[in-house]
Amino acid sequence: MEKQNGQDKIVALTLLVLGILIFALTARINLNIKLASGDPGPRFFPYISAVGLILCGGGLLLSNIHDSKMLTLNKNNWKNLFKLSLLLLLYMLGLKTLGYLISTPIITFLLIRVLAYGKKINGIVLTLFSLLLTGLLYGLFVHILNIMLPTGMLF
Amino acid sequence: MEYAITALQTLFHPLYFIIMLGGVILGVVFGAIPGLTGTMAITLLLPITFTMPAELGIMTLLSIYVGGVSGGFIAATLVGIPGAPSSVATCFDAYPLSQRGETTKALGTGIIGSFIGTFFSTIIAVLFCPLIARFAIMLGPWEYFGLCVCAITLVISLSQGNIFKGMASACLGIFLSSVGFAPFDASRRFTFGIVNINGGIDMVALMLGLFAIYQVATNYALETQELPAIQSKKLRGIGLTLKELKDNTVNIIRSFMIGLWIGFLPGMGAGISNMVAYAQAKSSSKHPERFGQGCVDGIFASEVSNNASVGGAIIPMISLGIPGDTTTAIMLSGLIIHGIEPGPMLMSRNPEYVYIIFASVLLASVITLILQLLSMNLFPRLLQLPYHYLFGSIVMICFVGAFSSSNTLFNCGLMLFFAFLAFLMAMGGLPMGPLLLAFILGSQLEINLRRSLTMAAGDITVFFSRPISCILMIVALASLVIPIIKIFKQRRTCNAGDK
């Protein structure tokens, strides 16, 4: 059995800090009405989670056992994750400014290229797929399910 | 009887039937492809079912569920990689059998085993749910609180890794469930002035983030999208003989009972039942040496048991409103979104929905059987679908789904936040199951806790003075305390070894 390493200790300390933070925030919850006798009130439940997190953080530190089930990434994995995150945030921005119909085909095109790890993809097929997916989702949500999709601020 | 006939009439409405067929196909596809799961398919389709009539929404989600559990054996057979955790034991014999050139027999056994498990376990659920619901009506808030606590602690104790991490994950779920207006007094909690979360955290955004975006992001980041090449020969017939089926009668019944019981218990689902049933089949076999070399008995044990867990998991979900695992927790939230509150009162208040649920699972299992038998030739092609197109489409559906659940882009941001949280949790080794279960059961837990304490004038011993709640609380405490004692014992042994 291996002993805790730095990553294990960070997890334990994060849980401790998070528990203390939730505890402090819970203490600031305002009571709207006078509570019935015996009712522990709206703070009780969040207090349970805060105390639980503090105990778990403490327990992890005291148990001093390494957990081999933790996800670890190498430099390349981080690079991939960064690229994908950037695209997803860009899509959020695109939905807000350009709206669904303009930003979706562009981001779908870019996203599939990124997800293919630079493999050769037929540009025409990819363009058609991006347009088709955008149209299919638009038709399904707007025309069949009557749910509006983002229209954007600029157009 | 009247409700059963109404349920059948609803199911055989042409449009409903076609949508169900689509649901089964989607479930099988997601269940078959490693990296995608039936749970992910249910999460993705949840927003699309919002505007559907409740019965159609339920049917769609259930058909994906049944297809998803069944489809796991396809990749296990063809490439030796389980499509879902429920098919891990299927790999042991189905893949070697397929490698020997008997792919049709391996797939046929999986298809028949899946059908037997799902269909007959649902029949058992039909018989048992009313009995359990009749008993559950007599339970008070103390017992309900005990049941919810018990379900969460059992999931924690069975989640892999350190027990403290499972507990921390559940505590995070409890915290997230307390965001927004509090029950009874409507006090605002942890909203920080954001009106979008006054009513609580959106369940769809949370699930899409935790189960879809996170999954796609991790698979992409770790570059685990490539599958081994498949030897695709022409597949004809079922490949299984009647004699082989007959010889496996005892094995099938035993595996069925294991799957049903494990599915019924909170925290244990198809992911565990297939391994237990496989081990049992091997130890009771007259020729255990054939296991692992392409033995039909092993495929039957795994596939019958994991699919029997479907019926087992439906029993507590319908009669008590308590989900057994992550997938049933998502199914439960889907029912709640459609205005159906599972629990003992569902049987008396909305019996038509209960019969629709049962009939949908039964019909979905028949559709799955026929569909898989007819489309066996397409299975190898299914696993050759380009991942970049699949994942790209999933991401887009997630965004549209998150937006449509509340008509605000805030939800898309929330979804990305939860994907990030899932990623941080995975880096810290925190399991996702306890968080989801605690989040879904959180409001029930708090309502029953506050109701119990108000009725008992704040006396906390009330949970130990009523027999059923006392037993449940003892089970819950034991399931947490025993693993903690084990950890500290291990630590002592480790320290002694160092000295």
Side-chain angles (χ1 to χ4, degrees), chain A residues 7 32 39 42 62 71 77 117, chain B residues 186 189 220-221 426-427 491:
Chain A
Q7 200 174 345
N32 280 348
D39 184 356
L62 288 176
L71 174 74
N77 300 151
Y117 302 110
Chain B
R189 299 185 295 198
Y220 169 68
M427 286 201 73
R491 195 199 147 193

Side-chain angles (χ1 to χ4, degrees), chain A residues 145, chain B residues 10-11 15-17 19-20 23-24 41-43 45-65 330-340 353 356-357 360-361:
Chain A
L145 302 172
Chain B
T10 312
L11 290 179
L15 178 69
Y16 284 24
F17 187 81
I19 291 180
M20 235 185 134
V24 169
I42 295 171
T43 317
L45 259 276
L46 196 56
I48 296 173
T49 66
F50 282 167
T51 52
M52 290 180 180
E55 63 274 16
L56 182 59
I58 300 167
M59 285 165 55
T60 312
L61 296 176
L62 284 166
S63 52
I64 301 171
Y65 177 40
I330 291 176
M331 278 300 308
L332 184 84
S333 58
L335 296 180
I336 294 168
I337 287 170
H338 280 285
I340 299 156
Y353 287 134
I356 283 177
I357 290 171
S360 301
V361 179

Side-chain angles (χ1 to χ4, degrees), chain A residues 4 8 19 27 36 52-53 63 76 83 86 88 112-113 116 120 130 144 148:
Chain A
Q4 275 183 344
D8 292 295
L53 283 170
S63 66
N76 210 28
K83 262 193 275 182
L86 203 70
L88 298 184
I112 292 172
R113 281 213 98 96
K120 230 181 175 185
S130 306
I144 299 175
M148 292 310 294

Side-chain angles (χ1 to χ4, degrees), chain B residues 402-413:
Chain B
F403 177 85
S404 66
S405 84
S406 67
N407 258 325
T408 151
L409 272 174
F410 176 82
N411 252 13
C412 297

Side-chain angles (χ1 to χ4, degrees), chain A residues 18-137:
Chain A
L18 197 64
I20 294 167
L21 188 72
I22 294 175
F23 198 93
L25 287 171
T26 306
R28 290 172 57 192
I29 294 171
N30 293 321
L31 299 178
N32 280 348
I33 52 165
K34 195 172 177 289
L35 299 170
S37 112
D39 184 356
R43 291 180 189 154
F44 189 63
F45 204 57
Y47 270 141
I48 294 177
S49 73
V51 172
L53 283 170
I54 293 169
L55 289 176
C56 292
L60 272 177
L61 275 179
L62 288 176
S63 66
N64 196 22
I65 295 169
H66 172 60
D67 182 3
S68 55
K69 300 242 159 39
M70 293 193 283
L71 174 74
T72 42
L73 302 178
N74 60 30
K75 206 175 156 190
N76 210 28
N77 300 151
W78 278 112
K79 226 160 97 182
N80 287 341
L81 201 69
F82 179 73
K83 262 193 275 182
L84 187 67
S85 308
L86 203 70
L87 257 181
L88 298 184
L89 290 174
L90 201 69
Y91 186 43
M92 273 278 289
L93 194 74
L95 285 174
K96 204 173 167 76
T97 51
L98 305 172
Y100 171 83
L101 281 174
I102 298 175
S103 57
T104 304
I106 301 170
I107 297 292
T108 308
F109 185 93
L110 294 173
L111 189 65
I112 292 172
R113 281 213 98 96
V114 167
L115 288 171
Y117 302 110
K119 256 187 251 161
K120 230 181 175 185
I121 308 175
N122 187 326
I124 299 166
V125 174
L126 181 55
T127 311
L128 282 176
F129 182 83
S130 306
L131 291 171
L132 194 74
L133 182 72
T134 308
L136 270 175
L137 288 177

